[in-house]
Amino acid sequence: MSVNPITRSPRSDASAHKPLQKGQQTKAAIVDAALGLATQIGLEGLSIGALAEVMQMSKSGVFAHFGSREELQISVVREYHARFEEEVFYPAINAPRGLPRLRMLFDNWMKRTSVEIDSGCIYISGAVEFDDRPGPVRDALASSVNTWLSAMRRAVEIAIEEGHLAPDTDAAQMAFEIHALILALHYEARFLRSPDSASRAVRAFENIVTRFGRAPAPAARKTTKTPASAPTRG
């Protein structure tokens, strides 16, 4: 999903098992700690100093791995995106094409959302922080979200191709509505603390599938009445 979620291989391939060098291990540990902080205080709240304190390192030691606060923020976005792929997207690839795969994508997304209700979602908090602030961090966030939504839209398109959804289904609209209910779930569960928000989200998803799954009614055939012959005057 970092480039194309349909073709990219998960990080569990052979290359992922190569031992990291000490510098790489340290950087990975810093990014992991930074991600934990960002879910609590947001990307904007990240600082080299705060991270150095958490890691019990010097500021110069943390700075040497990133060079700037902006680069640190982008590294956190990329790490969050990679973990999102691993938990949500890749497990669904093994599901049968069409609606079963779309359902698994949603189920995996719901599982991750249930955890993020307590920890926070970088995609959502980042959008609030950087929606009107152009720059590399916003670009990294927008690219990650767009890549995921493109994968969701493609899953809808495959379900249409497999005949699981009506042939006239608007894939972009259906993906939009699924995304919208996840955003509503975050708001209802995390902010309003509504106890039944998760079950409502599941019900809303089923309503979406049912609505788009209905085959369009055949158009009424127009019949042209043959006008009666005019009486012949003698």
Side-chain angles (χ1 to χ4, degrees):
M1 255 163 52
S2 301
V3 178
N4 185 335
I6 306 301
T7 58
R8 179 183 174 274
S9 298
R11 295 191 300 174
S12 58
D13 58 15
S15 61
H17 296 289
K18 293 181 180 179
L20 297 176
Q21 297 179 356
K22 184 176 180 180
Q24 293 174 315
Q25 291 177 338
T26 301
K27 184 173 183 177
I30 294 173
V31 171
D32 183 68
L35 179 56
L37 276 177
T39 57
Q40 299 173 30
I41 62 177
L43 286 168
E44 189 58 23
L46 284 179
S47 68
I48 299 293
L51 199 52
E53 184 176 344
V54 170
M55 294 295 298
Q56 296 184 339
M57 295 174 60
S58 65
K59 291 183 181 179
S60 60
V62 174
F63 189 84
H65 288 282
F66 297 97
S68 69
R69 178 168 170 265
E70 187 175 78
E71 185 180 339
L72 170 64
Q73 291 170 321
I74 292 172
S75 295
V76 169
V77 171
R78 289 173 176 165
E79 178 62 21
Y80 177 85
H81 185 64
R83 295 186 186 189
F84 188 94
E85 287 181 320
E86 297 290 345
E87 294 180 25
V88 178
F89 181 78
Y90 290 119
I93 292 298
N94 295 325
R97 285 169 55 89
L99 196 52
R101 185 175 299 174
L102 180 62
R103 285 186 183 281
M104 184 168 286
L105 282 172
F106 177 76
D107 289 346
N108 293 343
W109 201 0
M110 281 288 293
K111 289 175 184 176
R112 182 167 180 94
T113 299
S114 67
V115 173
E116 291 180 334
I117 286 171
D118 294 322
S119 65
C121 173
I122 295 296
Y123 286 161
I124 294 177
S125 62
V128 173
E129 293 175 312
F130 292 91
D131 60 346
D132 58 352
R133 297 177 57 186
V137 179
R138 185 190 189 284
D139 291 345
L141 273 166
S143 176
S144 296
V145 174
N146 280 326
T147 300
W148 161 238
L149 294 181
S150 294
M152 175 65 71
R153 185 167 59 250
R154 180 55 188 152
V156 174
E157 291 170 348
I158 293 174
I160 297 170
E161 294 168 5
E162 294 294 320
H164 299 160
L165 297 173
D168 64 343
T169 294
D170 184 337
Q173 179 65 28
M174 185 173 183
F176 177 92
E177 292 185 24
I178 294 173
H179 185 208
L181 72 87
I182 290 289
L183 294 178
L185 171 59
H186 270 277
Y187 192 92
E188 290 274 343
R190 186 168 169 81
F191 180 59
L192 298 180
R193 303 295 181 185
S194 301
D196 58 349
S197 54
S199 60
R200 289 188 180 279
V202 172
R203 196 183 317 161
F205 177 78
E206 292 302 328
N207 289 340
I208 292 172
V209 170
T210 299
R211 178 157 46 84
F212 284 100
R214 289 173 180 162
R221 183 177 298 177
K222 292 183 179 180
T223 57
T224 304
K225 293 183 179 180
T226 304
S229 300
T232 304
R233 291 186 178 180

